[in-house]
Amino acid sequence: MKRKNINIEYKEYLNKEELSKEEILLLERAAQAAESAYAPYSNFHVGAALLLSNGEIVAASNQENAAYPSGLCAERVAVFYAHAKYPAESILSMAVTAMVDGKLCKTPTYPCGACRQVLSESEKRAGSPIKIIIGGEKVIQIVEGISSLLPFAFDNVSK
Ligand code: THU
């Protein structure tokens, strides 16, 4: 038996000015997208903005449904739309922000497990890490790849 460790590194910013222009723009686009959320059941409005390899930014929000599991998180709405519209492009980075009652959540909102699994496959398609920028009102955190969020992703379908 061997004990093994996985180190997960993330960057934390308490000051938005330290981010690059591109990261700030993506966070702004995510916050804008959160305004289009359809979330009458949770009142939790999430926006996700993706930067693609062709320079396009695709942003989307969570869409809920009276049959609760039929709704979809902002991240998956954005990722699936991006792949449907630009199947040949890779996702380079993604910003996520969440709002309640029109105010940014104070702490970062990380993608749920199902979204991490989907992002993990997008990253595999891209062949390079997807940067994830998680924006809270007071704290912004960045991880440089999905493996930091989902170290043991499932990808055994063809094995
Ligand atoms: N939600 C997202 O859109 N993204 C996340 O990262 C977490 C949760 C949505 C799903 C549901 O519409 C609402 O937030 C409450 O869970």
Side-chain angles (χ1 to χ4, degrees), residues 37-48 60-65 68 71-77 96-98 109-113 115-116 134:
Y38 176 66
Y41 304 104
S42 70
N43 196 32
F44 195 66
H45 295 222
V46 186
S61 55
N62 53 326
Q63 300 295 316
E64 297 184 348
N65 189 273
Y68 292 172
L72 203 59
C73 295
E75 294 91 326
R76 270 176 291 164
V77 177
V96 182
T97 58
T109 297
Y110 272 89
C112 76
C115 289
R116 292 176 196 206
I134 308 290

Side-chain angles (χ1 to χ4, degrees), residues 38-122:
Y38 176 66
Y41 304 104
S42 70
N43 196 32
F44 195 66
H45 295 222
V46 186
L50 309 175
L51 176 64
L52 306 184
S53 46
N54 61 359
E56 288 284 332
I57 293 178
V58 166
S61 55
N62 53 326
Q63 300 295 316
E64 297 184 348
N65 189 273
Y68 292 172
S70 303
L72 203 59
C73 295
E75 294 91 326
R76 270 176 291 164
V77 177
V79 168
F80 289 148
Y81 177 68
H83 287 319
K85 187 157 189 213
Y86 303 106
E89 304 301 327
S90 302
I91 299 170
L92 303 181
S93 47
M94 177 181 76
V96 182
T97 58
M99 291 191 182
V100 175
D101 297 331
K103 282 190 205 144
L104 273 185
C105 292
K106 287 198 173 62
T107 52
T109 297
Y110 272 89
C112 76
C115 289
R116 292 176 196 206
Q117 179 66 32
V118 166
L119 285 159
S120 155
E121 194 151 330
S122 295

